[in-house]
């Protein structure tokens, strides 16, 4: 592989991860403008589905209808897998209501050790020493990054709980996305998973929206959140990961963490203590350590 192609792969994955990292900050801004979680998630998923549908039509036209079609079994599998995507968005966005963006993204990154645990349970394969050490580093970094040792820090357990549930559902998404209906195109897979996620999001909206739905969200934030949350990142990452491989790709995708923290610092003026930056650095190092020897697949 040429260095140019590898560089392209790194750029694709990096931009995709950075797009994800921007989301929570703008969701927080939408909350400041009195929009609800239901309004934010519904607008994001509706625009996301429309966007992915158009991309699917364009891809099919460009390939002269030679694209392999998903079978009914594929579709059902992807719809079910997509429900965890919907849960991740709901849980993550609800957590941002209670805690800062910088803490919420750190909680979401707990998917690192949750993924190791899930793999251990489901595959019956004992994690390597390298992975176990990485998990310990992640947990240590999390304690520092959330500033939990500071006795003056007030912990909102509502936000912590929702954030950890977001990490658990995100782990499920990661675990299933690379194992379900892998024989069809990534844009088809993304579309059906989005539809599955939309079922969860619409159900959440029906249960929680107790005021008239503010449709201005579709003009104000919906398109932006869909582009940077459900359209651009999966396209870029699906293009980049085959080039970089899972190991390097996972390391590059960790850019989501510092980007999210920096966006919160710049736009929301969230203050990050030195000890928190040390914790963030430890989490990033753990991700690097866990994936540095991964083979390209």
């Amino acid at each position: 592989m040429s260095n140019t192609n590898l560089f392209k792969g790194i750029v694709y994955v990096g931009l995709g991860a950075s797009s994800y990292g921007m989301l929570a900050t703008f969701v927080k801004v939408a909350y400041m403008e009195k929009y609800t979680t239901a309004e934010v998630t519904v607008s994001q998923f509706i625009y996301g589905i429309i966007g992915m549908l158009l991309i699917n039509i364009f891809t099919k036209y460009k390939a002269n209808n030679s694209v392999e079609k998903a079978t009914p079994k594929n579709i059902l599998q992807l719809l079910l897998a997509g429900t965890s995507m919907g849960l991740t968005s709901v849980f993550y966005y609800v957590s941002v209501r209670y805690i800062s963006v910088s803490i919420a993204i750190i909680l979401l990154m707990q998917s690192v050790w949750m993924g190791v645990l899930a793999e251990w349970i489901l595959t019956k394969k004992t994690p390597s020493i390298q992975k176990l050490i990485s998990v310990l580093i992640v947990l240590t970094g999390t304690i520092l990054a959330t500033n939990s040792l500071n006795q003056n820090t007030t912990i909102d357990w509502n936000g912590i709980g929702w954030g950890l549930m977001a990490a658990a559902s995100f782990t499920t998404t990661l675990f299933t996305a690379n194992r379900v209906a892998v024989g069809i195109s990534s844009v088809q897979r993304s579309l059906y998973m989005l539809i599955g996620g939309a079922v969860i999001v619409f159900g959440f909206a029906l249960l929680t929206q107790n005021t008239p739905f503010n449709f201005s969200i579709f003009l104000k934030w919906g398109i932006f959140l869909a582009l940077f949350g459900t359209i651009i990142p999966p396209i870029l990452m699906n293009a980049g990961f085959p080039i970089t491989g899972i190991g390097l790709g996972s390391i590059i995708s960790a850019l989501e963490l510092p980007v999210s923290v920096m966006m919160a610092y710049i736009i929301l003026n969230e203050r990050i203590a030195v000890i928190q930056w040390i914790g963030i650095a430890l989490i990033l190092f753990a991700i690097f350590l866990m994936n540095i020897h991964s083979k390209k697949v």
Side-chain angles (χ1 to χ4, degrees):
M1 180 192 301
S2 69
N3 290 332
T4 301
N5 283 336
L6 181 61
F7 178 74
K8 285 182 180 179
I10 291 172
V11 171
Y12 289 153
V13 175
L15 288 176
S18 298
S19 296
Y20 274 135
M22 296 168 60
L23 277 182
T25 293
F26 292 104
V27 168
K28 195 86 166 180
V29 174
Y31 287 162
M32 292 176 182
E33 297 177 0
K34 307 304 180 184
Y35 291 110
T36 65
T37 304
E39 290 162 350
V40 168
T41 52
V42 166
S43 62
Q44 178 181 334
F45 270 74
I46 286 179
Y47 276 130
I49 290 171
I50 293 172
M52 290 308 300
L53 182 60
L54 293 174
I55 292 171
N56 270 273
I57 293 172
F58 174 76
T59 303
K60 186 177 180 181
Y61 172 77
K62 189 176 180 180
N64 293 321
N65 294 320
S66 63
V67 176
E68 181 179 349
K69 293 182 179 180
T71 65
K73 182 180 178 181
N74 291 151
I75 294 173
L76 179 59
Q77 289 175 331
L78 290 168
L79 291 175
L80 290 173
T83 58
S84 63
M85 180 188 295
L87 288 171
T88 301
S89 294
V90 169
F91 293 157
Y92 187 41
Y93 291 174
V94 171
S95 74
V96 172
R97 278 199 171 278
Y98 295 99
I99 55 180
S100 66
V101 168
S102 53
I103 299 300
I105 186 62
I106 289 165
L107 292 174
L108 186 65
M109 297 303 288
Q110 301 311 297
S111 58
V112 173
W113 66 263
M114 289 183 182
V116 173
L117 181 61
E119 186 178 35
W120 189 359
I121 294 172
L122 295 174
T123 66
K124 310 299 182 184
K125 183 179 179 181
T126 304
S128 65
I129 296 297
Q130 180 180 338
K131 285 188 175 181
L132 292 175
I133 292 174
S134 299
V135 167
L136 289 176
I137 295 174
V138 167
L139 294 174
T140 302
T142 299
I143 293 172
L144 298 178
T146 55
N147 208 13
S148 301
L149 298 178
N150 187 344
Q151 294 182 350
N152 296 322
T153 300
T154 301
I155 299 177
D156 191 317
W157 290 107
N158 284 318
I160 299 296
W162 287 111
L164 290 175
M165 285 194 292
S169 57
F170 186 52
T171 301
T172 303
T173 300
L174 293 175
F175 203 81
T176 58
N178 294 317
R179 290 167 173 80
V180 174
V182 293
I184 64 173
S185 66
S186 59
V187 289
Q188 285 186 80
R189 296 172 71 242
S190 297
L191 174 61
Y192 290 123
M193 288 186 72
L194 272 175
I195 293 173
V199 173
I200 297 297
V201 167
F202 294 162
F204 170 80
L206 289 173
L207 291 172
T208 62
Q209 186 74 12
N210 50 22
T211 59
F213 194 96
N214 189 346
F215 287 95
S216 66
I217 186 72
F218 285 94
L219 294 176
K220 192 70 179 290
W221 292 109
I223 294 177
F224 182 89
L225 294 174
L227 280 173
F228 289 94
T230 52
I231 298 176
I232 293 176
I235 290 175
L236 290 176
M237 288 185 159
N238 284 327
F241 263 90
I243 301 174
T244 63
I246 291 176
L248 179 58
S250 297
I251 294 170
I252 302 301
S253 65
L255 276 172
E256 179 182 352
L257 174 55
V259 167
S260 186
V261 173
M262 287 304 299
M263 288 292 290
Y265 175 78
I266 295 170
I267 295 178
L268 301 175
N269 202 31
E270 289 186 4
R271 297 301 171 186
I272 313 296
V274 173
I275 193 170
Q276 290 177 278
W277 282 115
I278 294 174
I280 291 169
L282 282 175
I283 294 172
L284 293 173
F285 173 70
I287 295 171
F288 173 81
L289 178 64
M290 186 177 293
N291 293 283
I292 188 60
H293 295 306
S294 296
K295 294 181 180 180
K296 185 181 185 298
V297 294

